[in-house]
């Protein structure tokens, strides 16, 4: 009668080695588990981070442009014309424009008793009242400048500037010593992710900057909101619209590009970590192959007895190949669970929505299947080639 092995008997036969030596089986799958966990965790964390970053970019908008004064061909600092905001506003596709100007050599303190040489790192910027609307910003407390308060010694503090000065709430008596003058604090802004220079600044009106500190009317930075569908063409036209005489001395940038570039950095780091995960998988595959070879040597008696009782070589081959696949799949399953857990933990800590890509899970299992096949081929063939008589005699 032809010898055969039932499918129902194959799994108990293939798991004999794992059940008899569970610690060795667990250690042999550790490398595979680490490799798969690295792949799933890295891809999961990266996708969660990228999804959060893309959501922030969509919320903040990609249609904000900044126009700043640059340098002339000779290296001298250029000035934006006094009419630069008007020229930008007349550009087709521009929705909103706000002019601002840095007012140099001014110090801001909480009291007039602080020596002038102890600068607090807070810069002073003169701005139009439309800044908050153009940047789509929000106040943490108080109110922003308007056409009336922009003419008087009234200041609005950026988030970092208020923190440096120790101001969290404002009332009628909240003042700062700005440029040897007392200024009433009208409000404190929430952080601007696309305009960090505003976070570090104390904002005053353009009229009071001219009357108190000799502001000459030349802005140093324009904030421009463009039609989203026409942002790129508008960016190409702004330099000539702002300064027709010296367009090369005008710097036009899109702040959201800095956020988008972080996606590229994340991709490069992901590739590196995936490489490390692949190395761990390779080490794990070597460990499984080593355990399978040892298992063949230790079970020579069992193999010889089964061959003597009628088991064919193909049955022995299938048994050891199945055992190798079981070891690899056990490591892969453990790795997927561990990688998903790490992804959810990091996402919860960062406040992201956790995403575990199906491609990472499928790729991890596919890699473990491949490792199981490759690691089990040589031990299975070696076991099948054992002569039953020699195996029993050796035992």
């Amino acid at each position: 009668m032809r010898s055969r092995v039932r499918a129902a008997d194959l799994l108990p036969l293939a798991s004999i080695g794992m059940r008899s030596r569970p610690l060795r089986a667990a250690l042999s799958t550790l490398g595979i588990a680490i490799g798969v966990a690295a792949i799933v965790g890295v891809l999961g964390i990266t996708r969660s981070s990228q999804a959060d970053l893309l959501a922030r970019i969509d919320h903040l908008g990609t249609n904000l442009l900044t126009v700043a004064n640059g340098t002339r061909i000779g290296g001298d600092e250029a000035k934006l014309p006094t009419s630069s905001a008007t020229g930008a506003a007349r550009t087709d596709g521009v929705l909103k424009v706000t002019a601002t100007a840095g007012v140099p050599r001014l110090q801001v303190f909480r009291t007039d008793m602080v020596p002038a040489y102890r600068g607090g790192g807070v810069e002073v910027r003169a701005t139009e009242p439309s800044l908050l609307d153009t940047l789509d910003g929000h106040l943490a407390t108080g109110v922003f400048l308007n056409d009336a308060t922009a003419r008087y010694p009234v200041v609005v503090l950026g988030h970092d500037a208020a923190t440096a000065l120790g101001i969290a709430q404002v009332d009628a008596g909240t003042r700062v010593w700005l440029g040897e003058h007392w200024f009433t604090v009208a409000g404190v802004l929430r952080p601007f992710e696309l305009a960090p220079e505003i976070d570090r600044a104390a904002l005053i009106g353009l009229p009071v900057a001219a009357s108190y500190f000799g502001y000459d009317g030349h802005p140093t930075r324009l904030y421009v909101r463009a039609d989203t569908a026409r942002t790129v063409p508008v960016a190409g036209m702004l330099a000539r619209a702002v300064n027709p005489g010296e367009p090369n001395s005008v710097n036009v940038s899109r702040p959201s590009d800095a956020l988008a570039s972080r996606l590229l950095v994340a991709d490069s780091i992901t590739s590196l970590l995936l490489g490390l995960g692949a190395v761990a998988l390779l080490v794990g595959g070597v460990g499984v192959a080593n355990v399978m070879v040892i298992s063949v040597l230790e079970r020579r008696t069992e193999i010889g007895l089964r061959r003597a009782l009628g088991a064919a070589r193909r049955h022995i081959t299938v048994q050891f190949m199945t055992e190798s696949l079981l070891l690899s799949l056990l490591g892969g399953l453990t790795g997927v669970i561990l990688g998903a857990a790490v992804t959810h933990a990091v996402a919860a800590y960062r406040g992201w929505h956790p995403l575990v890509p199906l491609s990472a899970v499928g790729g991890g299992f596919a890699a473990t299947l491949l490792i199981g096949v490759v690691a089990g081929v040589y031990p299975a063939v070696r076991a099948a080639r054992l002569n039953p008589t020699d195996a029993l005699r050796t035992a």
Side-chain angles (χ1 to χ4, degrees), residues 348-373:
Y349 177 74
R350 295 282 188 175
W352 302 334
H353 178 70
L355 294 176
V356 180
L358 292 178
S359 58
V361 176
F365 277 119
T368 57
L369 285 174
L370 179 61
I371 289 174
V373 171

Side-chain angles (χ1 to χ4, degrees), residues 58-72:
D58 291 339
H59 173 71
L60 295 171
T62 59
N63 62 335
L64 177 65
L65 300 169
T66 60
V67 180
N69 59 319
T71 57
R72 297 188 176 92

Side-chain angles (χ1 to χ4, degrees), residues 53-337:
L53 185 57
L54 289 173
R56 285 161 55 197
I57 291 175
D58 291 339
H59 173 71
L60 295 171
T62 59
N63 62 335
L64 177 65
L65 300 169
T66 60
V67 180
N69 59 319
T71 57
R72 297 188 176 92
I73 297 177
D76 297 332
E77 183 179 2
K79 283 187 176 183
L80 295 178
T82 56
S83 60
S84 56
T86 303
R90 291 175 178 173
T91 303
D92 192 21
V94 170
L95 303 178
K96 303 172 185 176
V97 179
T98 298
T100 68
V103 186
R105 296 182 297 278
L106 294 182
Q107 300 283 355
V108 184
F109 302 106
R110 188 67 188 271
T111 172
D112 58 349
M113 303 301 292
V114 179
Y117 63 84
R118 296 187 60 182
V122 178
E123 61 178 313
V124 178
R125 299 190 70 87
T127 182
E128 296 176 328
S130 61
L131 177 69
L132 199 63
D133 185 43
T134 301
L135 292 180
D136 193 21
H138 302 278
L139 285 155
T141 183
V143 296
F144 196 69
L145 300 172
N146 55 43
D147 291 335
T149 57
R151 300 178 178 276
Y152 296 97
V154 176
V155 62
V156 174
L157 300 175
H159 177 268
D160 295 346
T163 301
L165 293 171
I167 298 176
Q169 297 290 331
V170 297
D171 52 38
T174 306
R175 300 187 303 171
V176 293
W177 184 247
L178 190 157
E180 304 297 325
H181 297 276
W182 285 109
F183 274 67
T184 300
V185 179
V188 175
L189 297 171
R190 291 183 180 177
F192 287 91
E193 191 162 10
L194 294 183
E197 64 278 0
I198 299 298
D199 294 339
R200 302 185 297 267
L203 304 174
I204 62 176
L206 293 175
V208 76
S211 59
Y212 276 52
F213 308 115
Y215 168 59
D216 60 4
H218 291 274
T220 57
R221 187 180 296 267
L222 306 180
Y223 296 97
V224 179
R225 282 285 181 185
D227 183 355
T228 303
R230 306 183 62 186
T231 302
V232 175
V234 168
M237 295 185 291
L238 277 178
R240 188 166 295 279
V242 167
N243 192 349
E246 296 179 301
N248 292 330
S249 66
V250 178
N251 296 326
V252 180
S253 61
R254 183 163 61 171
S256 61
D257 290 342
L259 293 178
S261 65
R262 289 164 57 180
L263 297 175
L264 300 177
V265 175
D267 287 339
S268 63
I269 296 175
T270 299
S271 300
L272 174 61
L273 295 178
L274 286 178
L276 295 177
V279 171
L281 276 176
L282 179 61
V283 173
V286 173
V288 171
N290 183 54
V291 167
M292 292 303 301
V293 170
I294 295 174
S295 179
V296 170
L297 295 176
E298 290 177 344
R299 297 163 64 184
R300 293 169 68 92
T301 303
E302 173 197 334
I303 297 169
L305 182 59
R306 290 194 60 218
R307 289 296 311 279
L309 293 175
R313 287 184 174 180
R314 64 179 182 276
H315 300 149
I316 303 299
T317 302
V318 171
Q319 173 187 341
F320 281 91
M321 284 294 297
T322 304
E323 182 174 348
S324 177
L325 287 172
L326 285 176
L327 284 171
S328 298
L329 287 175
L330 178 61
L333 179 62
T334 304
V336 168
I337 296 173

